[in-house]
């Protein structure tokens, strides 16, 4: 055992932690045959690129993989939708693409989901940019939610005034996922 520990490098720890944070390690013994899966593939389903992933596991065990669906290019601005794929088998296979938020030519992105462990409600923070103006001047924070394990989503509700300090220019809600506190 000590010999194995000596062979672990900082890179191993970073890669292992990254996989855990990315939500890839949700596999039970029954799913051991599933070694990997890819929920999004760029150049498919009407999107040039998928970027800025975020993954959570719901209280019912469904894995939700979010991303920005970039319509026309890899660019951080422009026609970008907030998309999702659901997996009910621990991430081995993925259901159809769900567009959580399509704001036309504008940018809806930076998904930061969190699951309320008490209610099972999924809260999704996101940012929105006006595609016709400089992002730092028009970036707003929104919240969406799902009470049916990510199948359907509420309309986006702007919460910028309670989350952004007046002196901030560029900022983002993600990538990544939120953390629910049990106490405090």
């Amino acid at each position: 055992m000590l010999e194995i520990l000596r062979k672990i490098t900082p890179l191993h720890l970073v890669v292992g932690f990254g996989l855990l944070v990315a939500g890839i390690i949700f596999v039970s013994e029954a799913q051991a045959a599933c070694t990997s899966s890819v929920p999004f593939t760029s150049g498919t389903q009407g999107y040039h690129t998928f970027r800025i992933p975020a993954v959570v596991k719901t209280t019912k065990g469904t894995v939700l993989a979010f991303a920005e669906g970039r319509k026309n290019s890899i660019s951080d601005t422009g026609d970008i939708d907030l998309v999702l794929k659901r997996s009910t088998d621990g991430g081995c296979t993925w259901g159809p693409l769900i567009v959580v938020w399509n704001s036309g030519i504008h940018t809806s992105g930076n998904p930061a989901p969190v699951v309320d462990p008490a209610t099972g409600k999924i809260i999704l923070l996101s940012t929105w940019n006006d595609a016709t103006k400089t992002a730092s001047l028009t970036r707003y924070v929104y919240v969406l939610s799902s009470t049916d394990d990510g199948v359907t989503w509420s309309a986006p509700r702007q919460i910028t005034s309670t989350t952004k300090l007046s002196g901030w220019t560029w900022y983002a809600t993600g990538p990544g996922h939120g953390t629910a506190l049990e106490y405090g």
Side-chain angles (χ1 to χ4, degrees), residues 2-183:
L2 187 56
E3 186 61 34
I4 291 171
L5 291 175
R6 285 187 184 140
K7 291 181 180 179
I8 295 177
T9 67
L11 179 60
H12 289 108
L13 295 174
V14 169
V15 169
F17 181 73
L19 291 174
L20 179 63
V21 169
I24 294 171
I25 304 176
F26 285 133
V27 180
S28 68
E29 287 183 38
Q31 298 146 349
C34 169
T35 58
S36 68
S37 68
V38 178
F40 304 103
T41 302
S42 291
T44 65
Q45 301 183 66
Y47 292 96
H48 179 277
T49 305
F50 294 99
R51 294 220 34 225
I52 319 301
V55 179
V56 292
K57 183 177 178 183
T58 70
T59 56
K60 294 180 181 177
T62 302
V63 180
L64 304 178
F66 297 88
E68 290 183 356
R70 298 179 178 198
K71 284 282 193 178
N72 303 312
S73 72
I74 197 169
S75 174
D76 289 337
T77 60
D79 188 349
I80 299 175
D81 299 337
L82 193 55
V83 297
L84 160 71
K85 284 204 174 179
R86 300 173 71 250
S87 174
T88 57
D89 62 4
C92 289
T93 61
W94 298 94
L97 184 82
I98 297 170
V99 178
V100 177
W101 186 9
N102 176 345
S103 60
I105 65 166
H106 305 291
T107 300
S108 306
N110 291 299
V114 64
V115 178
D116 182 334
T119 66
K121 183 177 186 177
I122 301 120
I123 311 295
L124 179 61
L125 295 175
S126 178
T127 54
W128 178 90
N129 300 355
D130 184 328
T132 65
K133 299 180 181 172
T134 304
S136 64
L137 301 176
T138 62
R139 183 166 281 216
Y140 300 97
V141 181
Y142 283 80
V143 64
L144 302 90
S145 63
S146 175
T147 57
D148 60 4
D149 223 36
V151 175
T152 62
W153 291 86
S154 68
R157 180 174 54 91
Q158 190 183 150
I159 59 170
T160 308
S161 65
T162 61
T163 58
K164 178 190 174 211
L165 296 178
S166 61
W168 288 359
T169 55
W170 196 96
Y171 58 94
T173 52
H177 56 76
T179 301
L181 300 177
E182 288 190 49
Y183 308 100

